[in-house]
Structures are given as structure tokens and as C-alpha cells.
């Protein structure tokens, strides 16, 4: 029995088996490296997409503010123009009354002329 146990302990891998184990280990490490690189690429791509999205949102926000300010300015200008038109119309109404009073025929003078 001792002889068989000693033989078992002395067993070594054949060169083909050793080569195959080394190749399998190499392939396992290669796959692990590829997987790590792909995960890094995914992380980098996600980070870039987030930056682009954030930049786009900032630009849209700035554009919105600029357009809102421009629209507000245009509305203020329209309001001022309409106020001026309204006030000039009110003055014109008063002018019409004044002109009507000035152009009223003098009934007493006409009556005297008629006599």
C-alpha cells in the first residue's frame, strides 16, 4: 500500500495538460481584462452622456431665459405704445370738445345781425 501512495504523490502533469492549464488561465485573465475594459468604457460613456445632457439642459435654460426676457421687453414696448395711443386718444377727445365750443355759432350775434 505504501508503494501506491508514494506513486500517487509523485504524479505530475503531462506537458500537454500543463500547457492546456496555462492556456486556460491566460484565456480566463484575458476575458477578465476585456470585461473590466468594457465596464470602464460603459462608465465613461455614461459619464459623457450625462455631461452632454446637462450641457444641453443648461443651454435650453439659457435660451429660455433669453427668449423670455426678449418677449417681456417686446410686451413692455407694446404696452407703452398702446398707453401713448390711449392717452393721445383721450387728449383728442378733449380737443374735439374744445374745438366744438370754439366753433359754436354765437346765437346772440346772429340774432342781432338778423334784426
Amino acid at each position: 500500500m505504501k508503494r501506491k501512495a508514494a506513486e500517487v504523490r509523485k504524479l505530475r502533469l503531462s506537458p500537454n495538460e500543463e500547457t492546456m492549464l496555462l492556456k486556460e488561465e491566460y484565456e480566463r485573465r484575458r476575458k477578465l481584462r476585456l470585461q473590466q475594459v468594457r465596464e470602464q468604457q460603459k462608465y465613461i460613456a455614461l459619464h459623457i452622456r450625462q455631461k452632454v445632457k446637462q450641457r444641453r439642459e443648461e443651454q435650453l435654460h439659457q435660451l429660455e431665459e433669453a427668449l423670455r426676457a426678449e418677449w417681456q421687453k417686446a410686451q413692455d414696448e407694446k404696452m407703452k405704445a398702446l398707453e401713448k395711443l390711449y392717452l393721445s386718444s383721450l387728449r383728442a377727445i378733449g380737443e374735439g370738445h374744445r374745438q366744438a365750443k370754439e366753433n359754436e355759432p354765437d346765437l346772440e350775434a346772429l340774432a342781432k345781425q338778423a334784426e
Side-chain angles (χ1 to χ4, degrees):
M1 290 297 267
K2 290 182 181 179
R3 192 170 161 209
K4 287 185 181 180
E7 285 179 20
V8 172
R9 287 184 198 151
K10 291 181 182 178
L11 287 178
R12 292 190 57 182
L13 296 174
S14 72
N16 287 340
E17 290 173 334
E18 194 175 327
T19 305
M20 189 174 72
L21 285 175
L22 289 174
K23 189 175 182 180
E24 286 175 359
E25 180 65 17
Y26 174 79
E27 286 298 318
R28 185 186 69 78
R29 288 183 180 183
R30 183 175 166 269
K31 287 179 184 179
L32 183 62
R33 280 195 311 267
L34 285 173
Q35 194 175 23
Q36 289 172 345
V37 168
R38 286 178 183 157
E39 287 177 14
Q40 285 177 340
Q41 288 174 341
K42 284 180 184 178
Y43 174 76
I44 291 169
L46 176 66
H47 191 64
I48 290 172
R49 282 194 304 270
Q50 287 174 344
K51 280 186 176 180
V52 168
K53 183 178 178 182
Q54 182 181 5
R55 193 175 331 140
R56 184 183 306 135
E57 287 176 0
E58 288 174 2
Q59 289 175 347
L60 283 174
H61 185 67
Q62 290 173 354
L63 179 62
E64 177 187 3
E65 287 178 2
L67 289 174
R68 189 178 307 264
E70 186 179 323
W71 178 81
Q72 188 63 44
K73 184 178 177 182
Q75 292 298 317
D76 291 343
E77 289 175 3
K78 286 180 185 178
M79 183 68 86
K80 287 178 184 177
L82 288 173
E83 284 177 7
K84 286 181 183 177
L85 182 63
Y86 176 72
L87 291 174
S88 68
S89 297
L90 284 179
R91 282 189 221 112
I93 290 173
E95 278 294 316
H97 286 289
R98 275 185 240 119
Q99 285 178 0
K101 280 187 179 180
E102 288 175 3
N103 292 334
E104 272 184 9
D106 191 8
L107 296 176
E108 292 175 14
L110 286 176
K112 286 182 184 177
Q113 281 181 356
E115 286 180 5

